[in-house]
Amino acid sequence: MGFRVAVVALILGVAAHTADAFITGPSIIAGSATAGRLPLQGARTKRANFTPVMGHKWESDRKMRVAVVGGGPSGACAAEIFAQEPNIETYIFERKMDNAKPCGGAIPLCMIDEFKLPESVVDRKVTKMLMISPTGKEVPIGQTLGPNEYIGMTRREILDGYLRDRAIEFGAKPIDGLV
């Protein structure tokens, strides 16, 4: 295990799905240790002296390991992009891969095309809904949608599973467990 271990947690927005939109390689290292050993508490860690540059591609023969913590939509998309890089060995950690998360599951219409999601991921197509906050405030949703537009309602276990499976197809290694 002579590789440098990089632990990376990324939060990606809907617009940052393309590989050119964010940094790859060691310039995105959030924390590191050598040979899989973590530094002792209070010890000074040696930081990589790389300057992050948007769109910078890691062009080296040196193999990197990247751990993406969290297998939801953001983590799965990050793992997919890292797994496509030839010199990055990608791991995706999720505490429970088949978990049905308590989430409304609403996704904007643009996400379907931008993330290349199949129609089967969308459970329901909603054109109008009324959200009621815990304080009782009512917020109507969907008033600005066009005639052929909708809010896609998904079940998180389906959406997350699809995105994780796609990352795994590109070579990401799934790890079911807590980090």
Side-chain angles (χ1 to χ4, degrees), residues 11 34 39 50 59 67 90 107 137 148 158 175:
I11 300 173
T34 51
F50 297 102
E59 295 177 15
T90 306
I107 59 172
K137 183 175 179 170
N148 295 324
I158 304 294
I175 298 176

Side-chain angles (χ1 to χ4, degrees), residues 87-108:
N87 288 328
I88 298 178
E89 186 176 352
T90 306
Y91 296 87
I92 182 168
F93 289 84
E94 176 61 37
R95 72 176 152 198
K96 194 171 180 201
M97 295 283 185
D98 61 350
N99 192 24
K101 297 179 179 172
C103 172
I107 59 172

Side-chain angles (χ1 to χ4, degrees), residues 15 28 78 82 87 128 161 175:
I28 49 76
F82 285 129
N87 288 328
K128 293 181 184 173
I175 298 176

Side-chain angles (χ1 to χ4, degrees), residues 54-66:
M54 283 304 259
H56 171 74
K57 290 291 219 175
W58 174 247
E59 295 177 15
S60 171
D61 294 334
R62 190 169 138 216
K63 185 101 170 152
M64 298 290 294
R65 288 183 179 171
V66 175

Side-chain angles (χ1 to χ4, degrees), residues 11-85:
I11 300 173
L12 303 176
V14 172
H17 181 61
T18 59
D20 294 332
F22 51 91
I23 305 161
T24 59
S27 55
I28 49 76
I29 294 174
S32 64
T34 51
R37 293 172 300 197
L38 296 175
L40 297 173
Q41 189 174 24
R44 295 180 64 90
T45 59
K46 182 179 178 185
R47 296 211 176 253
N49 56 357
F50 297 102
T51 304
V53 178
M54 283 304 259
H56 171 74
K57 290 291 219 175
W58 174 247
E59 295 177 15
S60 171
D61 294 334
R62 190 169 138 216
K63 185 101 170 152
M64 298 290 294
R65 288 183 179 171
V66 175
V68 179
V69 179
S74 297
C77 288
E80 177 184 339
I81 291 166
F82 285 129
Q84 292 178 54
E85 293 293 328

